[in-house]
Amino acid sequence: MAHEAPTPALYLSGVTISFDGFKALNNLSIAIEPGELRTIIGPNGAGKSTMMDVITGKTKPDSGDIFFRDHDLTQLDEATIASLGIGRKFQKPTCIESLTVFENLELALAGPRSVFKALFHRLSSEQKDRIHELLALIGLVDLIHTEGKQLSHGQKQWLEIGMLLAQSPEILLVDEPVAGMTPHEVEKTAELLTSLAGEHSVVVVEHDMAFVRAIAQKKVTVLHQGSVLAEGSMDAIQSNPSVIEVYLGEEAI
């Protein structure tokens, strides 16, 4: 007896958007399963960042459908989409550098309160426990009282992932997480993102092919000129002639 495929956690169908006549996305269709870790690769200008923008409501598509569960994301603003459970981590870390690791996580946990109110709000024991869980998950337990400005680039990235997780997102959109990291930080980031899959759907846009190989699971998606050029296992993608021609080149050999 055949098993039914799981209902996608996130579904894009026929999404198109043009800027001054240039189609940044061209009939783009992608489905992300619950708990899936999906890597998105492709050359510069392929539409990867624009895809993130339309999912999070930063940019509205000209046509097409974007659904998260039964929510039509094309009809919602950024704040509403974030509150539904879609978190986005940009390439550049945005933690508050004058606050400690603990205070940044406390602020993220507090939600929409102002910084002043959040930092003088009395944490419950459950909230404190949650912050310590996040510290352990992102590997910053020993840096709990360290200010953001004293962290390495990689540590700032992990803190920001922790800040996203504090908001209990169902889907994490992660943009080039290992750019500028040391090899050790890259390895730890691979372990962290892999550990999040299952409990969260994780969509990672990345150029570092060694990192992509380290985290790629069932499916890798290759974008080119705003649409899906190829989709499949890492092995299938690396041997795909079209992908080699437009993106991987000698890396695939």
Side-chain angles (χ1 to χ4, degrees):
M1 182 177 174
H3 293 285
E4 286 188 19
T7 302
L10 180 66
Y11 177 71
L12 287 76
S13 177
V15 176
T16 296
I17 181 168
S18 298
F19 300 113
D20 297 324
F22 169 72
K23 284 191 175 179
L25 296 178
N26 184 13
N27 198 31
L28 175 65
S29 297
I30 292 178
I32 308 296
E33 294 180 9
E36 178 183 3
L37 194 165
R38 176 73 65 88
T39 45
I40 311 282
I41 63 174
N44 290 331
K48 303 183 296 297
S49 293
T50 306
M51 179 194 74
M52 298 275 213
D53 288 345
V54 297
I55 292 170
T56 55
K58 182 179 179 182
T59 303
K60 296 298 179 186
D62 298 329
S63 59
D65 298 313
I66 308 172
F67 279 92
F68 169 53
R69 300 196 303 264
D70 56 350
H71 300 283
D72 180 356
L73 300 186
T74 65
Q75 302 302 310
L76 304 175
D77 60 25
E78 285 184 82
T80 303
I81 291 171
S83 71
L84 288 174
I86 296 180
R88 180 178 185 180
K89 199 201 110 20
F90 291 88
Q91 183 178 347
K92 186 178 179 182
T94 55
C95 66
I96 300 178
E97 299 210 334
S98 60
L99 298 182
T100 66
V101 169
F102 185 93
E103 288 168 340
N104 270 284
L105 291 172
E106 180 181 0
L107 194 59
L109 201 64
R113 288 194 198 95
S114 71
V115 173
F116 181 82
K117 285 183 179 178
L119 291 179
F120 287 92
H121 166 70
R122 200 174 191 85
L123 288 172
S124 67
S125 59
E126 289 83 3
Q127 288 174 315
K128 288 178 183 175
D129 288 345
R130 178 58 178 153
I131 290 175
H132 285 284
E133 283 175 15
L134 291 169
L135 285 166
L137 181 63
I138 62 179
L140 297 181
V141 172
D142 295 338
L143 298 173
I144 181 171
H145 299 304
T146 303
E147 291 184 349
K149 63 190 172 191
Q150 296 176 299
L151 300 176
S152 72
H153 176 69
Q155 289 164 343
K156 288 178 183 176
Q157 298 282 34
W158 304 331
L159 174 57
E160 188 165 341
I161 290 172
M163 292 168 68
L164 269 184
L165 293 172
Q167 298 159 42
S168 301
E170 189 173 324
I171 295 177
L172 278 84
L173 307 175
V174 186
D175 194 1
E176 295 191 38
V178 299
M181 284 190 182
T182 66
H184 176 66
E185 289 174 337
V186 170
E187 185 180 340
K188 285 192 66 176
T189 304
E191 292 171 0
L192 172 57
L193 292 175
T194 303
S195 75
L196 298 178
E199 188 172 345
H200 309 267
S201 299
V202 184
V203 179
V204 181
V205 166
E206 187 51 71
H207 283 289
D208 185 322
M209 290 310 298
F211 179 71
V212 171
R213 282 189 283 270
I215 66 168
Q217 297 185 347
K218 288 193 300 183
K219 199 175 285 186
V220 176
T221 299
V222 186
L223 298 190
H224 179 53
Q225 296 181 346
S227 45
V228 175
L229 174 67
E231 205 166 69
S233 69
M234 191 69 218
D235 287 344
I237 291 300
Q238 286 185 284
S239 59
N240 183 302
S242 297
V243 177
I244 293 170
E245 180 183 352
V246 304
Y247 184 54
L248 295 179
E250 294 181 358
E251 280 200 49
I253 301 171

